[in-house]
Amino acid sequence: MALTLDTYRQLGRSGLRVSPLALGAATFGNDWGWGAEPDEARKLFDLYVERGGNFVDTAVTYTNGTSERLLGEFARDRRDSLVLATKYTTLRRPGDPNSGGASRKSLFGAVETSLRQLNTDYIDLLYLHVWDPTTPVEEILRGLDDLVQRGKVLYVAISNTPAWQIARMQTIADLRGWSPLVALQLEYNLVERTGERDLIPMARELGLGTVLWSPLAGGVLTGKYRREDLTASPSGQGSRKEFNLALGGVTERSLAIVDVVKEVAGELGRTPAQVGLAWTLQNPAVTAPIIGARTTEQLTENLGALEVDLTPSQVARLDEVSAIDLGFPHAMLASDHIRVQTRGDLKIQAR
């Protein structure tokens, strides 16, 4: 069944309703040498919200703060109807160690900066952006709860953190009556499925909605890479293509996945990008992928994924070509050797 941007989904165990596709604002501004000029960014924002979208994702340091400033300007006349999500922990001032990380000082400084840049009184959803192993979890959780109590943040969430740390934090928050985490942002797509081992099952058990960054694997799933790129020499231009090649995102495995994505796209009369996004949208464990675009044409294409209805056989083919080894103990527990009985005990099966 086709979705629309106003087919809102509940975010984790909160009462917050968000669009099934979030708009990524990391492309707002070209301070980093790529991205959309302000006028084009405005068109991207208007296109998204006019279609019923309400969930916009940014971070305090995206495009050196330009992302938040532009988003605050665009959202000014419809602030209360939007869910603005931002993040903290990335370094705001080079040379100042306390302007980054997860400490209370970094947290409060980042939130005040985001409030100024977004020109708003409150942040709907605040993520810890990148895990900081040097800050005690109690300091993080208490700081987040204090911001919620003061009304500067409505909901708190986490990104790019090991599952065991998130589970530990959620347990402590529950036991102490602090604000619980309501969302997990992670990389998840047909190329990168390792979140299925621990992160996604953990999120489901602990009531965290899953928000996906890079649902198109940095553009690999759009089909723009070829096998010749595997042996191409760097051009030194610093392009997104060079970035993906340097990170190892273009491999024989990823290109084999793209081959099947293209086959399915051809069967449906859709683009590979739309099929890649539709695969995540039809996963019941996923709340909302984040789509980023530099042009309205790219955004319109991505929004077309809401209309794609993959057949069970097409989903099975995509699942098969992109399957990962779950590893121990997941593979063992899912095997025929161990079966969970209806009464809850475990029975060891012989071969």
Side-chain angles (χ1 to χ4, degrees):
M1 181 180 297
L3 299 170
T4 59
L5 284 177
D6 56 3
T7 309
Y8 301 116
R9 297 174 168 181
Q10 193 164 342
L11 185 64
R13 69 191 206 185
S14 77
L16 198 61
R17 269 69 175 178
V18 297
S19 294
L21 284 174
L23 177 64
T27 57
F28 287 12
N30 61 0
D31 302 57
W32 290 347
W34 52 270
E37 297 283 353
D39 288 346
E40 188 68 17
R42 178 76 205 218
K43 292 176 184 177
L44 294 171
F45 176 84
D46 288 344
L47 173 60
Y48 177 77
V49 297
E50 286 166 7
R51 296 275 191 95
N54 76 340
F55 194 16
V56 189
D57 183 270
T58 185
V60 66
T61 55
Y62 280 173
T63 53
N64 300 330
T66 297
S67 173
E68 285 192 337
R69 286 189 288 269
L70 289 176
L71 179 56
E73 178 185 339
F74 303 158
R76 182 170 52 228
D77 296 333
R78 56 186 103 199
R79 174 66 187 93
D80 288 344
S81 64
L82 296 173
V83 177
L84 301 185
T86 191
K87 313 178 193 75
Y88 91 103
T89 66
T90 49
L91 197 67
R92 289 176 287 116
R93 294 184 298 275
D96 180 359
N98 290 313
S99 71
S103 72
R104 188 180 182 92
K105 182 173 177 64
S106 171
L107 168 61
F108 277 64
V111 166
E112 292 298 335
T113 300
S114 287
L115 291 172
R116 287 195 302 270
Q117 291 180 166
L118 289 167
N119 192 27
T120 186
D121 296 326
Y122 67 96
I123 294 164
D124 295 285
L125 183 67
L126 177 68
Y127 291 95
L128 184 152
H129 198 165
V130 182
W131 179 244
D132 171 11
T134 67
T135 304
V137 295
E138 292 83 0
E139 179 178 342
I140 298 169
L141 290 167
R142 183 56 191 268
L144 292 171
D145 184 66
D146 283 347
L147 288 168
V148 173
Q149 297 301 320
R150 297 179 189 186
K152 295 189 175 186
V153 172
L154 301 187
Y155 300 95
V156 296
I158 197 161
S159 177
N160 304 317
T161 298
W164 70 271
Q165 287 283 17
I166 300 172
R168 175 187 176 206
M169 293 174 72
Q170 192 75 319
T171 301
I172 293 172
D174 285 346
L175 288 173
R176 299 199 176 178
W178 292 339
S179 299
L181 303 169
V182 302
L184 165 67
Q185 191 172 131
L186 74 158
E187 182 181 11
Y188 184 66
N189 52 59
L190 276 165
V191 174
E192 175 52 75
R193 291 179 58 184
T194 53
E196 294 174 7
R197 290 176 179 146
D198 292 296
L199 285 166
I200 291 176
M202 177 273 305
R204 182 174 59 246
E205 289 291 326
L206 298 181
L208 283 73
T210 51
V211 180
L212 315 183
W213 62 267
S214 195
L216 292 175
V220 173
L221 291 171
T222 65
K224 63 183 178 182
Y225 295 96
R226 302 289 184 271
R227 281 173 172 76
E228 305 87 77
D229 292 320
L230 294 173
T231 56
S233 300
S235 65
Q237 296 178 349
S239 65
R240 185 63 181 267
K241 180 177 180 179
E242 294 281 347
F243 183 70
N244 281 330
L245 290 170
L247 285 180
V250 183
T251 64
E252 188 60 48
R253 174 181 175 272
S254 66
L255 293 177
I257 293 169
V258 172
D259 287 341
V260 178
V261 170
K262 288 179 178 178
E263 291 173 7
V264 172
E267 294 165 7
L268 296 171
R270 295 287 182 171
T271 67
Q274 290 171 338
V275 169
L277 287 170
W279 179 83
T280 65
L281 285 166
Q282 293 187 207
N283 186 334
V286 171
T287 305
I290 300 170
I291 51 173
R294 289 183 297 103
T295 66
T296 53
E297 290 76 18
Q298 290 176 340
L299 180 57
T300 299
E301 177 187 355
N302 288 344
L303 293 178
L306 294 165
E307 304 167 357
V308 176
D309 192 9
L310 300 172
T311 67
S313 63
Q314 289 169 337
V315 172
R317 284 157 55 196
L318 293 167
D319 285 348
E320 182 180 2
V321 72
S322 62
I324 61 167
D325 179 4
L326 291 177
F328 180 85
H330 314 293
M332 181 195 76
L333 295 174
S335 73
D336 291 336
H337 301 293
I338 296 180
R339 179 181 302 165
V340 179
Q341 304 296 311
T342 56
R343 65 179 184 273
D345 64 339
L346 295 176
K347 181 179 180 181
I348 305 298
Q349 302 288 312
R351 285 188 179 274

